[in-house]
Amino acid sequence: MTASSSKLEGRDRLQSARSRPSTQVLNERDLMPFDLDERYVQAAEQALGVSLPTSYRLAMMRSNGGAVATESDDWDLYPIADDSDRKRLARTLNGVVPETERARAWRGFPSAAVPLGGNGEGDHLVFLADGQGLGPEVFIWRHETCELVRVADDFADLVAVGS
């Protein structure tokens, strides 16, 4: 595959993500995410020891979880733990905090990274530490090569799958 055909395929994936009907339920992972109270975002920040980027915080408070698309893949977002009721707790147990704890134990995973989603193949979307918080840029961490590839200047630049 040439670089130009790879870019075209990526654009087709983004266009497909933009054109999917928002009511379409593809499978169990696409269950409608819940909104999220800010106190749970703050608890996650405290557990992680960093401030989350503003656009990500706002997106999670509107829809805790879901999926986004990049030119190369679709990514299931890890929710932020919400124990306000049993259903929300069950849907958010394997969220951003435990995923970060697991990922930091892997060989080659950046110690200052926080994974925000996965593609189901071992790769992660991540934020990287920037001073006291996390920078707004989104990267793909490739598990086979431990390479970081910048895919967005800000979380808000990612296309929500199904929107």
Side-chain angles (χ1 to χ4, degrees):
M1 179 182 296
T2 66
S4 62
S5 66
S6 176
K7 247 191 191 304
L8 181 58
E9 181 181 299
R11 286 192 193 121
D12 291 343
R13 290 181 60 71
L14 287 174
Q15 183 60 35
S16 173
R18 287 185 180 111
S19 65
R20 290 183 195 141
S22 60
T23 58
Q24 181 181 16
V25 177
L26 301 176
N27 59 38
E28 187 176 32
R29 76 172 171 89
D30 292 314
L31 293 172
M32 183 178 293
F34 295 103
D35 60 341
L36 181 69
D37 189 281
E38 186 173 18
R39 73 179 184 257
Y40 296 111
V41 177
Q42 293 167 342
E45 289 176 323
Q46 185 173 11
L48 294 167
V50 292
S51 297
L52 296 165
T54 301
S55 61
Y56 175 75
R57 293 174 103 256
L58 294 172
M60 291 299 100
M61 287 174 14
R62 277 191 312 271
S63 181
N64 188 17
V68 294
T70 64
E71 286 189 8
S72 63
D73 220 335
D74 289 349
W75 303 86
D76 291 323
L77 297 174
Y78 304 131
I80 293 172
D82 178 348
D83 64 1
S84 59
D85 65 45
R86 290 174 54 174
K87 184 181 278 190
R88 288 177 187 237
L89 179 61
R91 289 187 181 182
T92 62
L93 270 178
N94 289 323
V96 68
V97 172
E99 287 294 339
T100 299
E101 291 167 355
R102 280 190 284 276
R104 287 183 176 167
W106 300 334
R107 176 195 61 78
F109 189 83
S111 61
V114 171
L116 58 137
N119 65 356
E121 298 176 7
D123 299 333
H124 290 276
L125 282 182
V126 300
F127 289 121
L128 296 177
D130 178 14
Q132 289 286 37
L134 298 171
E137 301 87 2
V138 180
F139 298 83
I140 294 173
W141 177 75
R142 303 212 185 273
H143 76 285
E144 291 178 350
T145 62
C146 300
E147 171 187 27
L148 286 167
V149 178
R150 187 174 174 161
V151 292
D153 292 333
D154 191 275
F155 181 79
D157 296 337
L158 298 175
V159 177
V161 173
S163 64

